Amino acid sequence: MAEPLTDWQARLLQRNQLPRHYLASAQKWFNPIASLVAEHQKSASRSWLLAVNGSQGSGKSTLCDYLQQVLAEEYGLHSVVLSLDDFYMTAPQRRQLAIDVHPLLATRGVPGTHDMGLLSRTLDKLLSGEPVSVPRFDKSADDRFPPSAWQHVERPVQIVLLEGWCLGAAAQPVEALAEPVNELEAQEDADGIWRNYVNAALSEQFSPLYRRCDEWLMLQAPSFECVYGWRLEQEHKLAAQRSGAGVMSDAEVARFVSHYQRLTEHCLRYLPARVNHLLKLDAQREITAYIAAPGVHP
């Protein structure tokens, strides 16, 4: 007979709509990582920043939710989860960017569409133990929630879990940008202005963020084709919950994900050798292996 669930386990499964057997896998793969992160934070005697990379639909948000609970319940550590998605520029800001630089920048997602100043200021306060309001982004409205709906963090945190689909992506050599990787780039960015702008944002805006990260974890998808399937699955679940409001069609999902293809494939090639914790996934998002290494940070 299975052991009864603790309150936090039951809430986690309900919150993320997960089957009970998720816990067995999480305990096997994630608990040792939580133990190491707790040990590193204790040795450092300061707030610790763990960066988590995972392509769309890979399960990084659920992983961070689980780690947050384990760090609290088993190690007494207060942590906060930040999503890079919550730091997108507002819709008006992106519309202006689309006018000033390139129309594709109206679509949220790629580097260059985030408010990195807001992220930096938020991290400053979290890592120094000051109270802070953490922004939240409403994907159904494609805009930031008003400040009244932000998360208010009042007490000091020992660990910040920062997750994002392109977190850790490095700027590519300019010559690598010459050839389009898909129809979107070929037809809507024929002159390469958009992808060069994104590449410059990685170098200028993301590199300083990477230097702040203490430890890196990656959920490695098998391929970009799997990522597209996972993202389509997410949208279908969203459609069932929202009855069509703010939900994309399959064709719209395909176009949306095309914005992410170049950097997703780049991360899948580049990042595995540069992280401290690598979790390899199969097409069903089951973890097949864990590789621990000191990592050469992005």
Side-chain angles (χ1 to χ4, degrees):
M1 181 179 294
E3 293 184 8
L5 297 177
T6 64
D7 288 343
W8 75 263
Q9 288 173 333
R11 289 195 300 271
L12 180 129
L13 293 181
Q14 183 179 31
R15 186 164 58 244
N16 294 283
Q17 298 181 310
L18 295 167
R20 183 177 177 132
H21 65 75
Y22 173 86
L23 290 174
S25 175
Q27 288 164 352
K28 175 182 177 180
W29 299 108
F30 302 159
N31 282 32
I33 295 174
S35 176
L36 286 171
V37 172
E39 179 184 328
H40 296 162
Q41 187 277 330
K42 182 178 179 181
S43 297
S45 299
R46 60 172 174 80
S47 297
W48 195 253
L49 178 53
L50 173 67
V52 178
N53 170 279
S55 54
Q56 290 188 322
S58 61
K60 59 187 178 296
S61 298
T62 308
L63 160 65
C64 288
D65 191 358
Y66 182 87
L67 288 177
Q68 183 180 38
Q69 302 306 314
V70 172
L71 289 167
E73 297 295 330
E74 298 192 12
Y75 301 96
L77 295 173
H78 180 218
S79 60
V80 168
V81 177
L82 297 186
S83 171
L84 196 58
D85 290 358
D86 284 322
F87 292 87
Y88 287 134
M89 291 177 173
T90 64
Q93 287 173 326
R94 284 181 282 116
R95 285 195 294 268
Q96 189 61 49
L97 199 60
I99 294 169
D100 294 342
V101 182
H102 194 282
L104 286 177
L105 291 168
T107 300
R108 69 178 190 264
V110 295
T113 63
H114 300 87
D115 188 336
M116 299 302 285
L118 178 59
L119 174 56
S120 181
R121 293 190 297 274
T122 303
L123 283 174
D124 285 344
K125 291 191 175 182
L126 284 172
L127 295 174
S128 63
E130 298 178 46
V132 65
S133 292
V134 178
R136 290 289 178 255
F137 193 87
D138 183 358
K139 292 182 179 178
S140 65
D142 195 28
D143 208 348
R144 197 177 293 161
F145 278 110
S148 59
W150 293 11
Q151 177 189 0
H152 301 290
V153 180
E154 299 294 337
R155 61 191 179 100
V157 300
Q158 285 79 48
I159 295 172
V160 176
L161 305 166
L162 174 62
E163 57 94 349
W165 76 273
C166 62
L167 203 59
Q172 294 180 273
V174 175
E175 56 269 22
L177 305 176
E179 292 298 321
V181 299
N182 55 30
E183 186 177 332
L184 177 83
E185 289 192 0
Q187 295 187 358
E188 300 185 48
D189 188 40
D191 52 11
I193 291 175
W194 174 71
R195 51 189 184 268
N196 275 277
Y197 184 87
V198 171
N199 203 53
L202 278 174
S203 178
E204 297 165 10
Q205 301 176 18
F206 278 66
S207 291
L209 170 64
Y210 297 166
R211 290 193 290 271
R212 304 186 69 166
C213 299
D214 296 298
E215 202 162 350
W216 289 81
L217 183 154
M218 180 184 191
L219 288 166
Q220 185 186 19
S223 67
F224 178 74
E225 288 69 29
C226 282
V227 174
Y228 167 66
W230 296 344
R231 186 62 183 81
L232 199 60
E233 180 184 318
Q234 280 185 326
E235 203 67 22
H236 290 170
K237 288 182 179 179
L238 204 59
Q241 295 169 1
R242 293 181 180 166
S243 303
V247 176
M248 290 184 280
S249 67
D250 288 5
E252 288 171 329
V253 170
R255 184 181 184 279
F256 182 67
V257 172
S258 292
H259 292 74
Y260 295 73
Q261 182 173 350
R262 174 179 290 275
L263 287 186
T264 297
E265 292 179 336
H266 182 47
C267 283
L268 292 177
R269 290 191 303 267
Y270 165 87
L271 266 186
R274 292 170 169 80
V275 297
N276 307 107
H277 310 280
L278 178 66
L279 293 161
K280 300 177 77 69
L281 306 178
D282 64 15
Q284 285 71 47
R285 282 174 288 196
E286 296 293 334
I287 299 170
T288 60
Y290 168 65
I291 300 172
V296 180
H297 291 177

